[in-house]
């Protein structure tokens, strides 16, 4: 067994090992050594308090400036307040009670510097609140090191910590492990390390945890970043190799049949990008191993048409296609739009046609039996559904293609369940994402897929103008917002109004957008039901409006969507159930209430619901946040560009790497500790090239035992589950 796999219960004292597990989920020596310092302190350095957040466990490096004994309000005795300043001369106050206050008073003298760790809060008046750490743990610099001289030159690592576990306790634990570590098998070949001037793994780990200077830190980070990138790319490339080894039934284009008939009836010409990507997919479908392709593109770039043409090619070749959507509203919308696009080709018609079958979990018994029979008999050449398609009793006659919409919402277990329905061979898989992602993110998140990108918008798409409406600063702007809606409706057009949550319903839709602020003074997010009531009794009392949200019964959701599509409604007030897939060409206005509660990509998706029928689109982002705040900066970024790829970079910069890789959805941590997907593009590209070259020479890694062991460790670790979210 590698030393990395040794349990911490063997390497450390039981109390420390238990704390590391309960607070940070660290179980092995490898886990601990890869719990890298968040930053480093110098003897003369003081940290800034600008980035503190309420209730966060923080470590502050500061200088004690004064101590004050204060009487307890409701009982006898006193408590100690200690004032500490940071590098910008901002202040934070430490409070100590009982016996601990006397210990602190004896050690914390003005002029002393150290690290103070605890849960941060705000106290005092609302107009001038003060940061406070209640009964924090602390370690003074002169007491924390063997000698002042040693500390003066060496950076002090400050680790991500938590309640009951201080950064210096982690540092001591790491020291115990390093002292007994011994030589390590290096997973990177010596010639690769020499080529890129990388230190050995053991040296890098010592340097990251016990640096003599910041040059050590820099060299260690370079090596450890490369490790993360190289291992990830090797795993993804191996998965791609494994996928090509599975047999698949070729589904070549016949040159006639449904696809030819559909193309002949298209009321528009395919864009150059759609035609090019269509040819790539058609060639993949004709191969004897499964297609594994990602189709990404701008909002409104025509991904659905490309996917439908692929499905028709498979049907023409005697197979079936399944389209898996994450929500019932989206499944129903896909079913409706595909049926409309096919026209009589979905009803039999002169070319024989094929049934387009809808299967969702809430269908009535009779409709469900009919849909199941269509799928099992092969009558349903195209089957559209939600996760209901994954249930054991759903069978297909000859499943040839699986199209997965909004891939990030499905795990590998769900994908595999659908794949297994193809029998002894694997179906071809086309993954669609409506959120454009930067090149290196695609290389990491979707590294085992071939990537096709649609960047060209179809002709007839009108530009969308986006503005921020500062409702709190300028209430008359909000009044003008409602006037603009009325003006569009007067021209015969329709509008969406989107709110972060439903309202006073048990089990309200708890997505990212509905998360309440930690600021006590901030009101709850606006709700669909409340806004609908206010608007129906106020500025829109003479207009036709309805609500749509995920908790409505399926038949009601379908009825509302049908009414809106037919133009029988002027305004739809909805949650994010309309985020993707909803296509009503007559809609021209999108109002997003509390827009600051939504992510950048989500806002881009929502505004893509308008401007789809040649009508100029207008998107108004309503927010209470003033200029100069981070939330307002995000909204201004959305208003400034329609480039989804540029916005995806803004979005990614504001999110944890683990979210992007699916770790947040799986409840696991990302194994990217050093690597930052946007800032380390060059590292990722270089690592992929090196991994590809090595695997080309040694696909089974027979001559690279240490690397194979490291990959096995990564795959065996539950935290590598995020890889399977790709």
């Amino acid at each position: 067994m590698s030393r990395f796999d040794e349990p911490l219960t063997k390497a450390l004292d039981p109390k420390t090992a238990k704390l590391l597990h309960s607070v940070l989920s660290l179980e092995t020596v490898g886990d601990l050594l890869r719990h890298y310092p968040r930053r480093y302190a110098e003897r003369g350095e003081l940290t800034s308090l600008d980035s503190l957040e309420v209730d966060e466990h923080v470590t502050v490096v500061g200088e004690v400036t004064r101590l004050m004994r204060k009487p307890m309000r409701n009982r006898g005795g006193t408590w100690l307040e200690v004032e500490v300043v940071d590098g910008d001369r901002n202040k934070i106050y430490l409070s100590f009670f009982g016996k601990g206050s006397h210990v602190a008073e004896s050690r914390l003298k003005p002029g002393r510097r150290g690290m103070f760790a605890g849960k941060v809060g705000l106290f005092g008046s609302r107009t001038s609140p003060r940061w406070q750490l209640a009964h924090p743990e602390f370690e003074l610099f002169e007491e924390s090191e063997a000698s002042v001289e040693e500390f003066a030159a060496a950076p002090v690592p400050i680790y991500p910590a938590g309640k009951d576990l201080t950064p210096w306790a982690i540092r001591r634990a790491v020291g115990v492990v390093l002292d007994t570590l011994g030589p390590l098998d290096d997973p990177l070949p010596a010639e690769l390390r020499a080529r890129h001037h990388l230190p050995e793994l053991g040296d890098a780990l010592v340097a990251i945890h016990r640096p003599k200077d910041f040059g050590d830190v820099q060299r260690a980070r370079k090596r450890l970043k490369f490790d993360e990138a190289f291992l990830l790319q090797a795993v993804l490339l191996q998965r791609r190799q494994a996928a090509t080894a599975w047999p698949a039934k070729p589904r070549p284009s016949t040159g006639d049949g449904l696809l030819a008939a559909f193309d002949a009836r298209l009321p528009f010409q395919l864009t150059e990008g759609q035609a090019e990507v269509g040819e790539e997919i058609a060639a993949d479908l004709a191969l004897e191993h499964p297609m594994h392709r990602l189709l990404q593109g701008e909002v409104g770039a025509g991904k659905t048409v490309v996917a439908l043409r692929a499905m028709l090619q498979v049907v023409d070749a005697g197979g079936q296609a399944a389209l898996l959507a994450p929500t019932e509203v989206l499944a129903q919308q896909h079913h409706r739009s595909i049926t409309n696009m096919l026209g009589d080709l979905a009803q039999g018609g002169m070319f024989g046609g094929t049934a387009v079958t809808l299967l969702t979990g809430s269908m009535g018994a009779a409709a469900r039996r009919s849909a199941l029979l269509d799928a099992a008999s092969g009558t349903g050449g195209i089957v559209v559904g939600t996760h209901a398609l994954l249930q054991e009793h759903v069978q297909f006659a000859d499943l040839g293609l699986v199209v997965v919409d909004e891939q990030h919402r499905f795990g590998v277990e769900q994908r595999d369940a659908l794949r297994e329905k193809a029998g002894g061979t694997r179906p071809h898989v086309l993954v669609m994402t409506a959120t454009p992602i930067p090149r290196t993110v695609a290389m990491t998140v979707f590294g085992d897929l071939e990537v096709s990108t649609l960047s060209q918008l179809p002709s007839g798409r009108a530009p969308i103008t986006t503005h921020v409406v500062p409702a709190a600063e300028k209430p008359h702007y909000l009044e003008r917002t409602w006037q603009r809606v009325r003006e569009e409706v007067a021209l015969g057009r329709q509008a969406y109004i989107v709110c972060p949550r439903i309202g006073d319903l048990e089990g309200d839709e708890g997505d990212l957008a509905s998360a309440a602020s930690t600021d006590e003074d901030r009101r709850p997010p606006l709700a669909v039901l409340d806004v609908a009531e206010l608007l129906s009794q106020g500025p829109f009392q003479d207009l036709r409006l309805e609500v749509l949200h995920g908790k409505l019964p399926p038949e009601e959701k379908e009825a509302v969507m049908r009414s809106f599509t037919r133009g029988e409604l002027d305004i739809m007030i909805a949650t994010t159930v309309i985020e993707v897939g909803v296509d009503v060409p007559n809609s021209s206005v999108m109002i997003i209430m509390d827009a600051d509660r939504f992510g950048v990509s989500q806002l881009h998706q929502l505004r893509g619901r308008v401007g789809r029928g040649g009508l100029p689109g207008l998107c108004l982002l309503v927010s209470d946040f003033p200029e100069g705040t981070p939330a307002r900066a995000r909204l201004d970024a959305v208003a400034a560009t329609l480039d989804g790829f540029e916005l995806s970079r803004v979005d990614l910069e504001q999110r944890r790497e683990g979210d992007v890789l699916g770790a947040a959805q799986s409840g696991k941590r990302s194994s990217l500790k050093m690597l930052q997907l946007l800032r380390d593009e060059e590292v990722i590209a270089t690592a992929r090239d090196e991994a590809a070259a090595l695997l080309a020479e040694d696909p089974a890694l027979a001559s690279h035992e240490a690397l194979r062991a490291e990959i096995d460790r990564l795959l065996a670790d539950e935290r590598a589950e995020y890889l399977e979210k790709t």
Side-chain angles (χ1 to χ4, degrees):
M1 179 177 71
S2 164
R3 184 71 204 282
F4 268 33
D5 298 319
E6 182 182 335
L8 287 175
T9 49
K10 288 187 176 181
L12 301 171
D13 66 272
K15 182 181 177 182
T16 302
K18 184 178 180 181
L19 264 178
L20 289 167
H21 180 261
S22 62
V23 177
L24 298 173
S25 301
L26 305 180
E27 297 178 358
T28 67
V29 165
D31 290 341
L32 179 59
L33 291 179
R34 289 198 173 95
H35 185 72
Y36 303 128
R38 175 181 289 158
R39 56 189 173 86
Y40 297 84
E42 295 178 272
R43 179 176 166 77
E45 175 200 47
L46 302 177
T47 56
S48 172
L49 304 177
D50 291 344
S51 61
L52 295 185
E53 293 185 18
V54 173
D55 292 337
E56 184 183 18
H57 282 276
V58 299
T59 301
V60 174
V61 179
E63 178 181 329
V64 176
T65 49
R66 62 176 177 148
L67 288 76
M68 296 153 281
R69 274 277 169 196
K70 296 189 173 185
M72 305 282 278
R73 284 187 178 177
N74 301 320
R75 48 185 172 152
T78 61
W79 62 283
L80 180 69
E81 181 178 80
V82 180
E83 182 183 83
V84 172
V85 299
D86 72 354
D88 297 322
R89 307 307 293 175
N90 296 318
K91 297 174 182 177
I92 189 169
Y93 294 86
L94 320 178
S95 54
F96 297 92
F97 303 88
K99 292 180 180 178
S101 70
H102 298 291
V103 174
E105 192 171 21
S106 68
R107 295 180 59 197
L108 297 176
K109 304 297 182 184
R112 298 294 297 273
R113 294 184 174 188
M115 296 185 286
F116 307 90
K119 189 175 180 180
V120 69
L122 284 172
F123 77 107
S125 67
R126 293 194 176 191
T127 54
S128 57
R130 304 197 296 176
W131 288 113
Q132 179 186 39
L133 291 177
H135 223 291
E137 298 198 53
F138 61 90
E139 186 167 78
L140 300 176
F141 284 150
E142 287 79 2
E143 298 172 347
S144 68
E145 299 298 323
S147 70
V148 174
E149 292 76 14
E150 179 185 340
F151 175 66
V156 177
I158 297 180
Y159 293 88
K163 182 175 169 51
D164 301 324
L165 185 63
T166 63
W168 45 93
I170 298 171
R171 193 168 83 240
R172 291 187 190 114
V174 170
V176 171
V177 168
L178 286 177
D179 287 342
T180 59
L181 190 59
L184 295 173
D185 290 332
D186 200 312
L188 295 188
E191 62 274 15
L192 188 154
R193 296 198 308 269
R195 196 156 50 242
H196 297 285
H197 309 290
L198 300 172
E200 292 187 9
L201 178 60
D203 293 340
L205 290 170
V206 170
I208 202 72
H209 293 294
R210 285 178 171 168
K212 294 184 177 64
D213 53 40
F214 280 97
D216 273 359
V217 175
Q218 195 171 10
R219 286 185 289 273
R221 281 179 171 164
K222 180 182 177 183
R223 163 64 203 255
L224 297 170
K225 277 184 180 184
F226 194 91
D227 273 14
E228 290 180 3
F230 185 84
L231 284 170
L232 275 173
Q233 296 305 328
V235 169
L236 292 167
L237 289 165
Q238 282 188 322
R239 283 184 61 189
R240 180 178 287 193
Q241 287 176 349
T244 60
W246 278 89
K249 192 172 180 180
R251 312 283 179 172
S253 175
T254 61
D256 54 11
L258 286 170
L259 178 55
F262 174 72
D263 284 347
R265 297 172 184 210
L266 273 178
F268 54 83
Q269 188 170 357
L270 294 175
T271 66
E272 189 178 318
Q274 285 174 317
E276 186 178 313
V277 170
E279 289 175 7
E280 291 175 346
I281 294 172
D284 282 356
L285 292 174
L287 298 176
E288 294 183 348
H289 59 78
M291 173 178 73
H292 220 61
R293 184 171 288 276
L294 168 71
L295 175 59
Q296 67 163 349
E298 275 288 9
V299 177
K303 294 181 293 295
T304 304
V305 171
V306 172
L308 177 54
R309 293 184 72 248
M311 290 189 273
L312 292 176
Q313 178 174 327
V314 170
V315 173
D316 281 340
Q320 292 170 282
L323 172 56
L324 187 59
T327 66
E328 287 204 355
V329 168
L330 188 50
Q332 290 163 350
Q333 175 67 24
H334 275 310
H335 179 258
R336 186 166 43 245
S337 62
I338 288 172
T339 303
N340 290 340
M341 282 192 282
L342 288 177
D344 64 349
L345 298 177
Q347 310 297 327
M350 62 181 291
F351 291 98
T354 187
V356 182
T357 301
L358 177 66
L359 181 58
T360 63
S362 61
M363 294 174 72
R368 185 172 178 76
R369 277 196 300 271
S370 176
L372 289 170
L373 184 60
D374 279 354
S377 67
T379 304
I382 297 174
V383 182
V384 181
T386 57
H387 61 277
L389 290 179
L390 307 173
Q391 295 172 2
E392 286 184 16
H393 58 272
V394 179
Q395 298 298 324
F396 291 83
D398 184 8
L399 183 58
L401 172 64
V402 176
V403 179
V404 183
D405 196 11
E406 289 305 292
Q407 159 69 11
H408 62 278
R409 304 194 192 186
F410 294 98
V412 70
E413 300 87 359
Q414 293 171 307
R415 284 212 317 274
D416 280 347
L418 200 51
R419 281 199 190 110
E420 294 305 320
K421 295 181 183 296
T425 61
R426 289 283 178 113
H428 300 281
V429 176
L430 179 65
V431 171
M432 295 198 298
T433 176
T435 305
I437 52 180
R439 182 181 64 91
T440 49
V441 181
M443 196 185 296
T444 300
V445 183
F446 297 106
D448 60 335
L449 306 181
E450 298 290 343
V451 179
S452 294
T453 300
L454 291 175
S455 54
Q456 213 178 341
L457 292 181
S459 59
R461 281 298 169 94
I464 303 170
T465 305
T466 307
H467 298 287
V468 179
V469 178
E473 295 174 83
K474 300 178 179 178
H476 61 285
Y477 277 30
L478 187 59
E479 295 173 19
R480 177 61 184 142
T481 296
W482 306 137
Q483 290 174 6
R484 283 293 290 117
V485 173
R486 292 193 64 88
E487 289 167 8
E488 291 296 306
V489 171
L491 293 171
R493 301 167 186 173
Q494 294 163 278
Y496 298 101
I497 298 174
V498 176
C499 302
R501 64 188 184 98
I502 301 172
D504 297 328
L505 291 177
E506 186 176 349
D508 206 347
E509 286 176 359
D511 56 20
L512 173 68
S514 64
S517 169
T518 54
D519 186 343
E520 291 180 3
D521 294 334
R522 194 175 177 201
R523 58 167 173 74
L526 290 171
V528 164
L529 299 181
D530 299 335
V531 170
E533 184 177 357
L534 286 170
L535 294 178
S536 63
Q537 296 173 3
F540 301 150
Q541 55 186 315
D542 57 331
L543 300 182
R544 303 168 297 171
L545 64 119
E546 278 289 355
V547 300
L548 180 70
H549 55 74
K551 298 298 179 183
L552 286 175
E555 59 276 9
E556 286 188 40
K557 285 187 282 193
E558 178 66 16
V560 171
M561 275 305 310
R562 196 180 300 115
S563 295
F564 193 71
T565 303
R566 290 174 178 170
E568 297 165 0
L569 298 175
D570 300 311
I571 302 169
M572 181 190 291
I573 303 178
T575 58
T576 55
V577 293
I578 65 158
E579 180 183 349
V580 291
V582 176
D583 187 2
V584 180
N586 193 46
S587 57
S588 60
V589 190
M590 168 68 66
I591 313 294
I592 305 177
M593 308 301 295
D594 279 345
D596 48 90
R597 310 266 185 171
F598 299 84
V600 169
S601 293
Q602 207 170 24
L603 293 171
H604 187 54
Q605 292 300 322
L606 286 166
R607 72 172 165 191
R609 300 307 101 207
V610 298
R612 302 177 74 85
L615 300 172
L618 175 65
C619 178
L620 299 177
L621 308 175
V622 181
S623 172
D624 288 342
F625 275 85
E627 284 189 71
T629 58
R632 179 64 177 274
R634 284 193 301 114
L635 300 184
D636 289 339
V638 174
T641 181
L642 291 171
D643 185 339
F645 288 89
E646 176 60 33
L647 288 174
S648 71
R649 297 183 74 90
V650 174
D651 196 24
L652 182 56
E653 284 167 357
Q654 297 174 349
R655 296 165 64 190
R656 302 196 326 272
E657 305 287 1
D659 289 341
V660 179
L661 297 176
Q665 293 170 337
S666 68
K668 309 294 182 184
R669 293 178 299 151
S670 166
S671 67
L672 294 190
K673 306 294 194 307
M674 284 282 179
L675 201 67
Q676 294 179 293
L677 298 183
L678 288 182
R679 296 178 188 176
D680 297 320
E681 291 179 297
E682 191 175 329
V683 176
I684 293 169
T686 301
R688 188 170 182 83
D689 289 343
E690 289 284 8
L694 190 147
L695 287 169
E697 290 180 7
D698 185 8
L701 298 177
S703 302
H704 299 86
E705 288 187 26
L707 175 58
R708 190 173 69 245
E710 193 67 21
I711 288 176
D712 289 345
R713 187 179 295 117
L714 178 66
L715 293 177
D717 191 335
E718 277 189 334
R719 285 166 291 175
E721 183 179 323
Y722 77 87
L723 280 172
E724 302 294 2
K725 298 297 177 181
T726 64

